[in-house]
Each structure stands twice: as C-alpha cells, then as structure tokens.
C-alpha cells in the first residue's frame, strides 16, 4: 500500500473489477485514456483479473482510493525494466466527481516516489493526448517534461490526434521534492 496526502494506492481486488470495467464503458472517461481498451464483457474483465494473479508480470497495477477507501481510479507502472531502470506510467481517475481536485496529481506523486525510492528506477515515461490540457498541466506540476510528439498517432472523433511523450528522471523528481520541502520550511514574508 502506498499512501499520498489524498489517496491510497493498493492492489486491485476482484471486488474492484466491476467498477473499473464500468468506467471503461464511459465514453468521456475513455476519451482521455492514453491507450484504448477494447470493449469487452464484464465476465472477460473478471477472467483477465484472475489470470493476472497467476502471471509473473513486469507491470504494477494499483487501485486509487480516497483516504477513506472509496475507489476512484487506477494507475500503473507498465513494462518495468529494473535492469534499465525505466517504466511507463498510466493513470485514470474514473470517478469524474474527483476530476480537477488534485487526486490524480497526488496519486502520480505517490507512485513516482515509490518507483524511484523502492523500485530504484531512473526514468518514467508517459503518453498523453495533446488535447488533454488538464492532464498535461498536472504532469508538469509533478515534474514531467515534454520530450516529443507522436504526430497523428491516435484516431479519435473521426480524425487523427497527436500524442505527447513526457518523461521524468529520478534526479528531477528528487529536486522537485526538495524544493517543495524547502518552500514548506521557509515562512512567507508579510
């Protein structure tokens, strides 16, 4: 379990699968996913969850809950390469009541702290739709930097859309954390 200021990241449980699946049926939620889920029946989603328990995988998939335990989304480190020190990051706040309230940023920071301190990773990469300005601002606040643009790489709403590549290095995250701690210790001047 990983705890942030607003969220807890924990293992996904079978009881979570139905809610996570319901969010994949919501067009507005899916519009902002960095990778599309193909539509599937709930029974198949539950079977995939059961199968994932038996697989040795390089992925870390976690549920995002509020501090009082309400499931609001999911996050993951995908393609974790301990030898090379890198992974891809994904996040989705499925419960729209929690959009734009800092829960996604808190979950991102908590998972980055875990990835760099516990997994000893060197870099994290993410992919985000170029039109998703809210997510881009949140990732920038968490220290991610723009690294590239995949031109017209995702087909959505009858046209091809660009996807941005963003990255975060361990030293950048540590510097950001240090700056935040320093600002908290320095009293504001009146």
């Amino acid at each position: 379990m990983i705890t942030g200021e607003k969220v807890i990241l924990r293992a996904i449980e079978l009881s979570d699968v139905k809610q996570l699946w319901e969010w994949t049926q919501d067009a507005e939620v899916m519009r902002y996913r960095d990778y599309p889920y193909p539509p599937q029946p709930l029974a198949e989603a539950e079977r995939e969850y059961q199968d994932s328990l038996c697989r040795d995988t390089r992925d870390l998939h976690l549920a995002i809950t509020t501090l009082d335990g309400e499931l609001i989304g999911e996050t993951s480190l995908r393609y974790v390469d301990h030898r090379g020190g890198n992974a891809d990051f994904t996040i989705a706040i499925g419960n729209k009541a929690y959009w734009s309230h800092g829960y996604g940023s808190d979950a991102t920071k908590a998972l980055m702290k875990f990835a760099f301190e516990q997994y000893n990773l060197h870099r994290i990469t993410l992919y985000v739709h170029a039109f998703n300005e809210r997510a881009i601002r949140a990732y920038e606040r968490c220290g991610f930097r723009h690294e590239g643009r995949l031109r017209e790489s995702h087909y959505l709403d009858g046209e091809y859309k660009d996807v941005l590549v963003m990255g975060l290095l361990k030293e950048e995250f540590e510097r950001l954390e240090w700056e935040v701690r320093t600002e908290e210790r320095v009293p504001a001047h009146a």
Side-chain angles (χ1 to χ4, degrees), residues 50-143:
Q50 294 289 2
D51 290 347
S52 74
L53 297 176
C54 302
R55 276 194 306 259
D56 179 25
T57 180
R58 296 183 305 154
D59 295 352
L60 175 65
H61 296 285
L62 300 169
I64 303 170
T65 70
T66 60
L67 294 177
D68 62 1
E70 181 180 354
L71 179 65
I72 63 170
E74 63 181 317
T75 187
S76 67
L77 292 175
R78 299 170 56 217
Y79 314 115
V80 176
D81 176 2
H82 290 285
R83 189 174 189 180
N86 57 68
D88 287 358
F89 168 70
T90 69
I91 187 168
I93 302 298
N95 185 329
K96 292 182 274 190
Y98 290 89
W99 286 8
S100 299
H101 295 290
Y103 289 89
S105 293
D106 188 49
T108 299
K109 289 175 187 173
L111 188 54
M112 294 306 101
K113 186 173 179 65
F114 175 84
F116 293 129
E117 293 179 1
Q118 302 301 314
Y119 268 17
N120 197 31
L121 295 180
H122 174 70
R123 97 173 247 109
I124 307 293
T125 304
L126 67 81
Y127 302 88
V128 59
H129 293 293
F131 64 80
N132 193 348
E133 295 174 10
R134 182 180 67 229
I136 293 165
R137 284 191 306 273
Y139 296 142
E140 289 169 341
R141 283 191 303 272
C142 292

Side-chain angles (χ1 to χ4, degrees), residues 31-34 126-137 139-140 146 148-154 156 160-166:
R31 176 176 180 74
Y32 295 102
R33 293 302 298 248
D34 63 342
L126 67 81
Y127 302 88
V128 59
H129 293 293
F131 64 80
N132 193 348
E133 295 174 10
R134 182 180 67 229
I136 293 165
R137 284 191 306 273
Y139 296 142
E140 289 169 341
H146 294 262
R149 178 180 291 265
L150 304 174
R151 296 174 306 129
E152 298 184 6
S153 67
H154 187 80
L156 183 68
Y160 288 97
K161 308 279 187 180
D162 292 357
V163 172
L164 302 180
V165 180
M166 299 179 76

